[in-house]
Amino acid sequence: MEKTLWKHIQTVKNQSPLIHNITNYVVMNNTANALLAAGASPVMAHAKSEVKDMTGIAGALVINIGTLDEYWSEAMLIAAETAHSLNKPWVLDPVGAGATPYRDEILQKLLQYRPTVIRGNASEILALAQSHTAKTKGVDSTASSTDAVEAARKLVQHYESVVCISGETDVILDNTQRLLYLKNGHAMMAKVTGLGCSASAIIGAFIAVIADKTEATAAAMALLGIAGALAAQQAAGPGSLQMQILDKLYNLEETEFDAQLKISRG
């Protein structure tokens, strides 16, 4: 699989898919820059009058509920319904799942449109699976990614989505019983806002052009994790880390990727 993941990274750069993001306004700039650096083409659109058309022309849709409100919720539901009806791949990033009843209500509605990929931290995945053991601290996880594997399996079984639990170890599982562990990245990445949101957006770019959605998700997470690990070697702190990650997403070499990749199967 290792060589295949690098080929997927090149496929995104070569095809430059258009990715429609309905995301939170804290991270719009970060997300768009991460997509551009990875080789994709971002569009941020949440007007109810155009999200259906925008989803129709995009290669994939990414929905991130970070700064949820009533208007954006309606736009998200229209876009998700459109993606589902067109059989177009889409990513759900359940930011802050479990924090408030309103957030959970919108997430349950979005899940009915069967996201291709669900990416969240362990607390979010636990909450999404309606586990009562999850505690969400804002958008930060109070659980480790491996704690949420059983909850992720419930989501996979019910919605047939690929589920990615991000954390110190990223865990990816699907409805074919594949279970992947990725141990790339760096602890300083947790000090930069929106890198999880960027991960979801990059997954959107990969599932837009790669048939195997599990491999696509693994390639996206490996790319960002390795970029983060290499960037941390040059960064003086979170500010320069963010800049260095963008540079490394853009100029990562195959030899660097091969040397850094830490992937195993469960």
Side-chain angles (χ1 to χ4, degrees):
M1 178 186 290
E2 288 78 356
K3 290 296 181 184
T4 305
L5 296 186
W6 179 253
K7 288 180 181 177
H8 293 333
I9 291 169
Q10 297 312 299
T11 298
V12 170
K13 290 185 181 293
N14 292 334
Q15 296 194 23
S16 191
L18 178 67
I19 308 304
H20 177 199
N21 299 266
I22 306 179
T23 190
N24 71 79
Y25 50 73
V26 176
V27 303
M28 281 189 185
N29 182 267
N30 313 52
T31 298
N33 280 327
L35 282 168
L36 286 166
S41 180
V43 60
M44 274 59 184
H46 59 266
K48 288 186 287 186
S49 299
E50 72 169 354
V51 291
K52 186 173 182 179
D53 293 330
M54 196 66 79
T55 299
I57 64 174
L61 167 70
V62 178
I63 291 180
N64 173 310
I65 69 160
T67 50
L68 199 60
D69 71 12
E70 288 74 11
Y71 184 96
W72 282 25
S73 296
E74 291 181 31
M76 289 172 182
L77 290 166
I78 293 168
E81 181 181 18
T82 302
H84 181 67
S85 66
L86 295 175
N87 198 29
K88 184 153 296 199
W90 74 281
V91 181
L92 175 62
D93 188 333
V95 179
T100 67
Y102 177 61
R103 220 161 260 271
D104 291 342
E105 175 191 344
I106 298 303
L107 284 169
Q108 289 305 312
K109 290 179 179 179
L110 286 167
L111 284 169
Q112 300 311 307
Y113 298 113
R114 296 182 174 268
T116 311
V117 178
I118 301 167
R119 190 221 60 86
N121 64 40
S123 292
E124 290 162 348
I125 296 301
L126 285 162
L128 209 57
Q130 296 181 322
S131 166
H132 298 293
T133 62
K135 299 292 182 183
T136 300
K137 185 187 75 175
V139 300
D140 298 323
S141 181
T142 57
S144 73
S145 53
T146 52
D147 293 335
V149 171
E150 289 307 314
R153 283 201 174 101
K154 292 179 184 177
L155 294 171
V156 170
Q157 290 166 3
H158 198 76
Y159 300 107
E160 298 184 337
S161 307
V162 175
V163 177
C164 175
I165 315 162
S166 59
E168 184 177 351
T169 298
D170 299 319
V171 184
I172 300 167
L173 57 161
D174 65 17
N175 63 359
T176 69
Q177 306 302 314
R178 277 185 290 183
L179 182 60
L180 302 174
Y181 297 94
L182 283 160
K183 296 185 178 181
N184 293 108
H186 189 276
M188 201 194 308
M189 294 173 74
K191 300 298 183 183
V192 178
T193 189
L195 281 182
C197 304
S198 294
S200 294
I202 294 171
I203 289 171
F206 278 71
I207 65 172
V209 294
I210 295 159
D212 187 322
K213 307 310 181 189
T214 306
E215 283 193 8
T217 303
M221 295 302 292
L223 172 62
L224 183 59
I226 290 170
L230 292 172
Q233 297 174 11
Q234 307 295 325
S240 54
L241 177 66
Q242 186 171 6
M243 177 183 69
Q244 295 284 353
I245 285 175
L246 289 176
D247 288 348
K248 192 48 68 176
L249 285 172
Y250 178 77
N251 62 30
L252 183 67
E253 298 288 343
E254 183 176 4
T255 52
E256 294 176 305
F257 184 82
D258 290 344
Q260 291 284 328
L261 181 62
K262 299 174 184 175
I263 186 169
S264 59
R265 296 159 181 77

